[in-house]
Amino acid sequence: NVSESSPLGYLLASAYLHFYAKVREQASRLELNDVEYLILSALGTREGRTYQELITLAAYSGLNLWPESINDLAARSLLRIDEDADEADDNAHIYLTTEGKSVVERMFAESQLVEDNMMQQLGVPETIALRTLLSRFVRLHSPLIPYRWF
């Protein structure tokens, strides 16, 4: 049984797996794999990221990003690579297309529904406390990465 005395690692992992399962359902409905979902999420929070920056964010999330992922999303008209730079250039800037922005809006709206549901189940003060504590935990214990999500 899960209780307040359960190990913190177990509680964090269980909460992550539950939340991630909801994200996977959403990505599946949008016909996106994990890496594609991450790329669009990262560009949705800040466009103009480079391939190298996206590789770093993917690695931080435990995923491997290859040029094919970027090229596949570009072929599906969800993103574009800066026209002034060569596609193979790790420093080329990547942007969402109008269609890509529409997909990201759906992703973020559905993510908000998951959070709203969590807030209804836990209660507003508890959800705020959870967000505050997790934010503090991440700031204190996560390795610093050169590229932030936001």
Side-chain angles (χ1 to χ4, degrees):
N1 279 338
V2 175
S3 71
E4 287 77 12
S5 63
S6 296
L8 183 59
Y10 173 77
L11 293 172
L12 286 170
S14 296
Y16 168 77
L17 291 172
H18 171 76
F19 198 81
Y20 190 69
K22 300 291 184 189
V23 169
R24 285 296 320 127
E25 289 173 18
Q26 178 189 36
S28 180
R29 283 193 302 276
L30 294 170
E31 298 181 3
L32 299 169
N33 65 33
D34 291 352
V35 172
E36 293 167 339
Y37 189 92
L38 177 136
I39 292 167
L40 294 178
S41 294
L43 292 173
T45 57
R46 186 166 51 82
E47 290 196 71
R49 294 180 188 267
T50 64
Y51 175 65
Q52 189 59 48
E53 185 175 358
L54 292 171
I55 287 174
T56 302
L57 288 171
Y60 181 72
S61 299
L63 299 170
N64 291 317
L65 188 148
W66 304 104
E68 294 78 19
S69 298
I70 301 290
N71 294 335
D72 287 348
L73 290 170
R76 291 166 57 187
S77 301
L78 296 177
L79 58 81
R80 69 176 174 81
I81 300 165
D82 189 348
E83 297 168 5
D84 295 334
D86 179 45
E87 287 188 20
D89 183 359
D90 286 356
N91 295 314
H93 294 275
I94 302 166
Y95 298 89
L96 294 169
T97 62
T98 301
E99 189 174 338
K101 287 178 184 178
S102 176
V103 169
V104 168
E105 285 174 14
R106 286 178 54 199
M107 287 168 48
F108 289 173
E110 288 191 32
S111 292
Q112 187 60 52
L113 289 175
V114 171
E115 286 192 34
D116 291 347
N117 185 29
M118 183 176 74
M119 195 174 299
Q120 288 176 350
Q121 291 176 356
L122 289 178
V124 174
E126 290 83 355
T127 302
I128 292 170
L130 177 62
R131 184 185 305 277
T132 301
L133 290 171
L134 288 173
S135 176
R136 187 179 310 157
F137 183 86
V138 169
R139 279 196 317 271
L140 291 173
H141 299 287
S142 286
L144 296 176
I145 60 170
Y147 307 111
R148 295 178 42 113
W149 283 104
F150 300 100

